[in-house]
Amino acid sequence: MALSAADLPALYTLLVNSMSQDESVRKPAEAALSQSENRPGFCSCLMEVITAKDLVSQVDIRLMASVYFKNSINRYWRKRRDSSGISSEEKQHLKQKLLSHLREENNQIAQMLAVLISKIARFDYPREWPELFSFLAQQLQSADVLTSHRLFMILFRTLKELSTKRLTADQRTFAEISSHLFEFCWRLWQSDIQTILHGFSTISQSYGSSAVEQHHDDLYLTCERCLFCLKIICQLVISGFQSDAKCIQEIRPVKEVSPVLLNAAQSFLPYYTSFQSRHPKFWDFIKKACTKLMKVLVAIQQRHPYSFGDTCVLQPVLNFCLNKITDPEPDVLAFAQFLIKCMVMVKSVLECKEYKPSLTGRVMDENSVTLEQMKKNNSNAVAGVLTSLLPKERIVLLCNILIRRYFVLNSSDLEEWYENSEAFHHEQDMVQWTEKLRPCAEALYIVLFENHSQLLAPIVVSILQEAMNGCPTSVTEITPGLLLKDAAYGAAAYVYYELSNYLSFKDWFDGALSLELSNDHPNMRIIHRKVALILGQWVSEIKNDIKRPVYCALIRLLQDKDLSVRLAACRSLCLHVEDASFSEKDFSDLLPVCWVSCFNLVKEVQEFDSKVWEESSGESLLQIQLLIALRNFVVALGYQSPSCYAMLLPILQKGIDINGPDELNLLEDSMLLWEATISHAPTMVPQLLAYFPCLVEILERNFDQLQVAVDITEGYIILGGREFLSMHASSVARLLDLIVGNVNDRGLLSTLPVIDILIQCFPTEVPPLISSTLQKLVVICLCGGDDKDPSKTAVKASSAAILARIWVMNTNYLAQLTSEPSLSSLLQQTGVAIEDNILLCLVDIWLDKVDNVSSYQKKTFGLALSIILTLRLPQVLDKLDQILSVCTSIILGGTDDLSEEVSSGDAMSSSRIHGEDSLPSKELRRRQIKLSDPINQLSLENSVRENLQTCSALHGESFNSAMARMHPASFAQLKQALKMP
């Protein structure tokens, strides 16, 4: 039933109640509103609430109505299968109502109205709302400042929404919009800039004049409109044209717009300081405008690099940015966000691949220029411009300025560090490099160095030597010399890959870095933090003879009193532990103290305010890396791994405790360590034996770690033997019942070999213990649907092989299992219709899947089929020809070497790390178990021969008749297989 104007009071009451703090009032209102969402007229009623003149002051109610309106657009604007959606008539009414309410005075409501229009435009423009942009443009012609501000807000939101549509037709539509709107928006923006600059000039000259202050509100609205207009221009230039890096066509607006944007920024900058205290509202606009102008220039450069690379654009922009970085006015030096944008621009230009010169040279024959050749020509032309803009002297100057000015800690940095060292660490090292001045300078320096490494490497080394000579290791006062050394250390850390040709790390470490660490003065935290950084960054240059001292140095830094130093050491230790040349031998005796220090660090940062940092959970990264190192250490020790159990087992116990504080971070690597420990243990120890129930708890939560859990289970079976089974029989049964029936085919394929080896080791005890799991395997075998699915076929074949093993090794039990009413009931529940004896149905599966299993499993099938011959069932004779044919082919085909029978584990298992000469104890034991497998000891030939005789005795003449029906060729092969005369 449709809602109408008569329902407005009730709707208003529901909206009011939906904002109540009283849950008993709020919940029913929310439910009622939710039920009304798909009713015709709901959005129209909401629109009346939003635009009602008598509700102007009730902004919260109007905002809530607009939120429900927005949700309804997302859900019901398009017709859905479960709802007729909003009718065409109501849609038309809503669009007209929205466009008739352009002069909304409340900014929050105006923003929501703009969002509503943009959401509808995404669905309806251009087909169902072709007049939208022409109407908005027409309104702009005669709008006052407030209305034009709202119109540009709508344009911005709508263009932003449409620019995200990626279909070719949508992009063509956006290009058309751009061609119609660009000139108007561009002219208006330039006019606004002139109005704003004139207004700022008047304000500066008439401070305190009430007449001038009366016009501040209009001027501020113009400022706001100007920002919206700038964003629109950016969208039109960026999304309205294909990137010139692809089309290799000049984008005309780039040359027209970019120099003007730069001039605007230059014109605003002088007001930055003077407006800060006197006119904070306009000062805030200047901050936004200057940073946005630079941000737009960067976006244009990245979207249209070739057009931006023209001398008339690139030269003034890059010159301006370089001058602001190397020789900023006091106003600019205090404007960190603007300097960051200048650095981002220079960095973007330096690393732009379109500006890299081509080695093939310029193509001169313009009549046969290909697209790639045009790119090369353009790249070479821009590279020439860059060379003229960045002579060697300017590159060296920029490098010096970055290190000596922007890398150096200032008084506010040090104050922040002392007040909250953890926050300081995160801000300097873990924030986005575009958000803070020093990280941005470091990012620019790295790119500059990569582009000009041969020129700059000697410069950086000379700055480093100058700083070290000017501040000996004994200096503890915070002097300019110490701060320069800190900056130089940072510069050397970031570009280790090239400096190693100019600087011996061993000499540096022995002659300076290690000595710095022996100085425990509190002020040395500044240098200690950078030493920690260096030891991590230079990991590839730390050779064998110095690994041990470096490890010891990092452990010492990990115990530093300053949290920022310890966090830096933590990260560097991670780099060492995960390094391919990490030396477990040099690190092994440091593991206990390292683990304790790491645990204390994680505990401290969690008790600190680091929960506000998303990265804080990453402090357990070192623990993860230590678990990896410990695993590698266990693998390296092999049979001697119990020598580290005193340290290892407590760590392992904490890591596999799902109730532990770091369970989410450490569980995966703790389980891999668990698997390695089991795989390389020469014997089972009581502590390890006691851990197994943890595996059930882990899998009860989810199957994320299924593969390694299966490997661990196999290790317990092989290593623990009868002692393990007697202690954890119920846990084993629970584990397998949990997995089978609840994981996908891939998970089953990794689990089934473990069930097989468990039954092989304990053929009498295990089958009754895991009867529920075995019943599920019977269901898997007898279900259809695997004809076109190789993974399902593999699962069915492997399940059938397990049941065949039980039939061979514990015949009476499988006969009992297949006759249990609970199995018949389970088959009925899963929709499997069984008209015959279940055991005989399994015989059909063994016959059908014999070609889908390994040669070793084929022998198991053959033995099982031969035992079927001993049953006193007339149906056996119906299958006699098939049974004998399969057994004959298996006997004549032979069995492959057992080497094809590998562990159920995948490449993550530690047994894959080694070759044949250093196999883990688990792998050797597993092979021994396979070699001693009764299946391996039994003769299929003898079994078939003996059981044929039994079959003959049981069935007499019927047997002879069945044998007579065999094809002569098949019978001849049978005689050959059984060596019958």
Side-chain angles (χ1 to χ4, degrees), residues 473 512-521 528 556:
T473 56
L513 301 182
S514 61
L515 300 177
E516 312 272 18
L517 299 183
S518 64
N519 188 337
D520 291 327
H521 192 281
H528 288 178
R556 179 171 181 171

Side-chain angles (χ1 to χ4, degrees), residues 42-227:
F42 180 67
C43 290
S44 296
C45 287
L46 291 173
M47 192 68 208
E48 293 302 320
V49 172
I50 297 168
T51 59
K53 292 182 179 180
D54 57 337
L55 297 179
V56 167
S57 61
Q58 299 185 40
V59 176
D60 52 350
I61 306 298
R62 298 169 69 203
L63 280 174
M64 182 59 72
S66 64
V67 168
Y68 275 96
F69 192 174
K70 178 169 74 83
N71 293 341
S72 294
I73 292 171
N74 291 335
R75 292 171 189 159
Y76 303 109
W77 199 265
R78 279 184 174 171
K79 288 186 178 179
R80 294 167 26 162
R81 284 179 297 177
D82 59 343
S83 169
S84 58
I86 302 171
S87 69
S88 299
E89 293 77 14
E90 186 175 5
K91 286 181 182 178
Q92 189 63 29
H93 166 73
L94 291 169
K95 287 187 283 193
Q96 289 174 353
K97 189 78 174 177
L98 283 166
L99 292 180
S100 68
H101 196 76
L102 296 175
R103 206 177 187 283
E104 169 60 50
E105 294 193 0
N106 184 277
N107 194 56
Q108 285 181 289
I109 301 295
Q111 287 182 6
M112 283 304 300
L113 291 172
V115 169
L116 294 172
I117 291 171
S118 71
K119 294 291 181 185
I120 295 172
R122 184 177 184 89
F123 292 123
D124 281 12
Y125 185 84
R127 291 186 179 180
E128 307 298 326
W129 207 1
E131 72 279 8
L132 172 62
F133 285 102
S134 59
F135 175 82
L136 294 175
Q138 184 181 3
Q139 295 300 307
L140 278 169
Q141 305 294 333
S142 57
D144 58 17
V145 176
L146 176 62
T147 307
S148 65
H149 176 275
R150 301 314 192 218
L151 285 165
F152 273 105
M153 186 185 287
I154 293 167
L155 278 172
F156 167 65
R157 290 287 177 189
T158 306
L159 289 172
K160 186 176 182 180
E161 189 73 42
L162 295 179
S163 69
T164 62
K165 299 178 77 173
R166 299 265 59 93
L167 293 178
T168 304
D170 294 324
Q171 292 179 345
R172 275 200 301 267
T173 298
F174 197 93
E176 290 174 9
I177 297 170
S178 182
S179 65
H180 290 126
L181 284 181
F182 176 76
E183 287 300 331
F184 175 80
C185 293
W186 180 232
R187 286 198 306 272
L188 181 65
W189 182 82
Q190 292 181 91
S191 173
D192 279 351
I193 289 293
Q194 295 304 315
T195 301
I196 294 167
L197 288 173
H198 176 74
F200 284 0
S201 175
T202 304
I203 290 171
S204 298
Q205 296 168 14
S206 311
Y207 178 64
S209 169
S210 57
V212 173
E213 290 183 6
Q214 289 175 1
H215 299 288
H216 281 196
D217 288 345
D218 280 352
L219 182 60
Y220 186 71
L221 275 175
T222 303
C223 290
E224 287 285 295
R225 181 179 70 185
C226 176
L227 284 176

